Amino acid sequence: MKRTQSVDLSDAVLDKSNFSRANMTESNLQGASLRNSNLSEAELVAVNLSGADLEGANLELARMKNAVMAGTNLKGASLRGADLEGAVLRNVDVSVCDMKGARLDNCRVFLGIRELKDDLKLKVQRHMKWLATDGKDGEQADFSGANLAGIDFKYADLSVAKFTGANLEKCNLGKSFLTMADFTGANFAGANLMGADMRGVILMNADLTAANLADADLGYVNVLSTRGDRRMVRFPATLTGATLDRAICTQTNFEGARLEGVSFETAATDGAIFTSAETEEPSASADA
């Protein structure tokens, strides 16, 4: 089936199809329905499966290097021995599929969901579905006041979730997606936020003592205007009153962030970006 390479099958209904050993490299299967289909040993390199329905599908030994699977449904699917090197599985619940023996080198996937307690796992699952369906299904997560200390959220998508006053001490949020999440008054002491997407995040009065923010993005996020004119508006990250004592902020992007009352005196800021239309780059000892 060489002719399936680089084809557009977006939104196609292909339930119970047999694509075993087919070469579908770089094909577009975005939004396609492949429920209970056989894709074992298929060449799915750099394929786009975002929003696709692969419930009950057989993907054993499939070669899926650099595949994009944002919001893909893998309930009951088997990915045993599949090669997912460099693949992106954002908003994918891997706790409902079999990934035994799968190669996950440099794969961007939230594996920590398997270790969460049942009530927390359900809340995260519902939030992931809420994000993947643009709010049509699931529910926006509210972790306000919750004790989440030490939990592994690496690569998790918790965008727009509410964490007001939550305890996230020593959490692993490396390369997680936290766009426009509300962390007002949250405790991030000693947390790992390396490479996290924190554009438009709210960190008012948050404690980021000794947190690792290296390579994190706390710049602007573009959102649609509420005036109904379809105009894009820049929404900055807000760190007003936050504590960054001994925080690691090397190569961190603070472009346009609101930094009133924030001191970087004891923080490591080598290569950090502070430029904005309103604020000059702060010195190591000055408040921004």
Side-chain angles (χ1 to χ4, degrees):
M1 296 187 67
K2 293 182 179 178
R3 286 178 294 178
T4 56
Q5 185 171 347
S6 301
V7 298
D8 186 357
L9 292 167
S10 55
D11 298 317
V13 178
L14 301 164
D15 298 341
K16 299 182 179 179
S17 296
N18 185 9
F19 288 102
S20 181
R21 299 185 181 178
N23 186 352
M24 306 176 77
T25 297
E26 297 183 350
S27 291
N28 182 12
L29 289 158
Q30 185 173 0
S33 181
L34 289 150
R35 295 167 68 98
N36 300 306
S37 291
N38 184 7
L39 293 138
S40 60
E41 300 184 64
E43 291 284 347
L44 299 168
V45 176
V47 71
N48 184 359
L49 285 160
S50 296
D53 189 350
L54 289 162
E55 183 170 340
N58 180 4
L59 292 148
E60 294 180 6
L61 299 176
R63 286 165 285 279
M64 307 178 72
K65 186 175 181 179
N66 297 323
V68 179
M69 303 170 71
T72 302
N73 177 21
L74 292 175
K75 183 178 181 180
S78 177
L79 289 89
R80 285 189 167 224
D83 184 357
L84 292 159
E85 182 183 358
V88 178
L89 282 79
R90 180 176 178 177
N91 271 327
V92 175
D93 185 357
V94 295
S95 68
V96 296
C97 66
D98 186 354
M99 301 183 75
K100 187 175 181 179
R103 183 178 180 182
L104 300 170
D105 299 349
N106 298 315
C107 180
R108 285 169 279 180
V109 55
F110 174 34
L111 295 174
I113 191 169
R114 296 178 182 272
E115 309 301 324
L116 300 179
K117 293 182 179 179
D118 289 344
D119 56 341
L120 181 57
K121 181 188 291 187
L122 179 60
K123 185 176 287 190
V124 172
Q125 287 173 325
R126 290 185 59 78
H127 185 73
M128 290 167 69
K129 183 171 285 188
W130 182 77
L131 290 171
T133 61
D134 293 326
K136 296 175 184 176
D137 200 358
E139 184 179 20
Q140 181 182 14
D142 189 344
F143 301 99
S144 297
N147 183 10
L148 304 170
I151 290 179
D152 185 1
F153 282 121
K154 187 176 182 180
Y155 288 121
D157 193 340
L158 299 168
S159 301
V160 206
K162 300 176 182 178
F163 291 88
T164 303
N167 180 19
L168 294 148
E169 185 177 3
K170 296 183 179 179
C171 269
N172 182 9
L173 289 149
K175 297 187 178 180
S176 57
F177 302 93
L178 306 172
T179 310
M180 296 185 74
D182 187 351
F183 292 102
T184 301
N187 176 18
F188 281 101
N192 175 28
L193 292 153
M194 281 187 68
D197 184 346
M198 304 175 73
R199 292 170 298 153
V201 73
I202 301 173
L203 289 163
M204 289 181 63
N205 301 315
D207 185 356
L208 292 149
T209 300
N212 190 345
L213 291 153
D215 297 309
D217 188 354
L218 285 89
Y220 290 105
V221 64
N222 292 321
V223 297
L224 281 174
S225 170
T226 56
R227 298 178 181 177
D229 55 8
R230 309 297 295 177
R231 185 170 59 90
M232 298 302 293
V233 178
R234 278 184 164 185
F235 191 90
T238 302
L239 288 85
T240 305
T243 301
L244 279 90
D245 292 341
R246 295 177 284 109
I248 301 172
C249 302
T250 53
Q251 307 297 325
T252 305
N253 180 24
F254 292 102
E255 184 179 5
R258 294 173 178 168
L259 300 169
E260 295 86 357
V262 178
S263 173
F264 292 88
E265 184 174 358
T266 61
T269 58
D270 293 347
I273 300 171
F274 294 97
T275 56
S276 74
E278 302 173 349
T279 309
E280 297 296 325
E281 179 174 340
S283 64
S285 60
D287 289 352

